[in-house]
Amino acid sequence: MLLYKKLSRFAARHVAKRYLNLGKSRGVVSFSFDDVPASACHLGAEILERYQATGTFYVCGGLTDGVEQSHACHTVQDLQNLVVRGHEIACHTFSHTNCANTGLAALEADWQRNQEFFSQHRLPKVGFAFPFGAYDLPSKIAASRRFSYSRITGGGTQIGIADLNALRAQALYAQSTDADTIFELIQQTASKGGWLIFYSHEVTTNPGPWGTTPEQLESALRIAKQLSCEILPVQHAIAFFQSP
Ligand SMILES: [Zn+2]
């Protein structure tokens, strides 16, 4: 069973790829927020907008109006406000489902439930991020049929080429992502025309292990601007790289 799981993870990473060529003259930095605490919708979005930037918010309908890790989650109104202000709303399963441990029928039903939640509240639904960054080959293939792209975690930046079915993203966590790492990743992205996707959760002065501070978020934005990166939501970044 363990061997099967290892093989499945290996196959999931190396099979069923959908290539996106990077290598534009400018690097792109994207900022995303998973599960979507209320603070990401308010303070997080406001900080992005100070830099004329918009972000991507990966929503679980099952967390709407809820509390997660003692942080208040978004309301429907928060999500609709984000859309009006030009941010991207995307799917993160309805129930924050671990896609690597869930049968396909149950997973499809959970995705469907989230898409119905999006439809009910007139939210656009295009992209997807795997909760916990967890996926296997069947869920990677199924997600690629349903969504325009899928984002994982994994850390680091993407140079040269990206897999639209498993876009790599880097944590932006105040307690564990140091300033040198942020600077070096943005610098590498800028100099090589790559694509760096940050992800975080809450945005507060006193975040938990999976959140960021206003200072850390602002510092990443400032560096990206100083190094002349485009700052784009994930779906817009794909369009940027696909443009001639
Ligand atoms: Zn999540």
Side-chain angles (χ1 to χ4, degrees), residues 52-88:
Q52 294 78 47
T54 47
T56 305
F57 296 76
Y58 293 99
V59 175
C60 299
L63 289 173
T64 301
D65 296 322
V67 173
E68 189 193 43
Q69 310 284 340
S70 76
H71 298 285
C73 290
H74 59 273
T75 62
V76 167
Q77 186 68 58
D78 287 334
L79 302 179
Q80 289 169 339
N81 289 346
L82 288 173
V83 173
V84 168
R85 287 150 60 188
H87 297 275
E88 178 190 359

Side-chain angles (χ1 to χ4, degrees), residues 34-35 92 96 131-132 201:
D34 292 5
D35 312 2
H92 198 44
H96 207 269
F132 316 104
H201 295 83

Side-chain angles (χ1 to χ4, degrees), residues 99 102-111 136 138-143 145:
C99 299
T102 306
L104 265 191
L107 182 54
E108 292 281 4
D110 193 68
W111 276 330
D136 57 7
S139 58
K140 184 183 184 186
I141 293 170
R145 295 197 175 121

Side-chain angles (χ1 to χ4, degrees), residues 69-192:
Q69 310 284 340
S70 76
H71 298 285
C73 290
H74 59 273
T75 62
V76 167
Q77 186 68 58
D78 287 334
L79 302 179
Q80 289 169 339
N81 289 346
L82 288 173
V83 173
V84 168
R85 287 150 60 188
H87 297 275
E88 178 190 359
I89 302 290
C91 179
H92 198 44
T93 74
F94 187 83
S95 309
H96 207 269
T97 304
N98 183 324
C99 299
N101 292 343
T102 306
L104 265 191
L107 182 54
E108 292 281 4
D110 193 68
W111 276 330
Q112 190 57 36
R113 194 169 173 202
N114 213 40
Q115 292 198 292
E116 281 161 15
F117 167 85
F118 274 52
S119 299
Q120 184 192 343
H121 299 294
R122 299 180 202 286
L123 298 166
K125 46 180 188 295
V126 189
F128 174 63
F130 286 99
F132 316 104
Y135 66 104
D136 57 7
L137 187 54
S139 58
K140 184 183 184 186
I141 293 170
S144 75
R145 295 197 175 121
R146 188 179 278 270
F147 302 103
S148 66
Y149 70 84
S150 302
R151 202 216 71 200
I152 57 170
T153 52
T157 185
Q158 305 173 107
I159 304 294
I161 209 159
D163 179 5
L164 282 171
N165 294 341
L167 293 173
R168 178 177 284 271
Q170 164 67 41
L172 187 66
Y173 292 168
Q175 291 183 21
S176 56
T177 316
D178 62 67
D180 288 348
T181 302
I182 294 170
F183 182 79
E184 282 158 20
L185 285 173
I186 298 175
Q187 194 176 44
Q188 200 186 349
T189 303
S191 65
K192 298 194 170 149

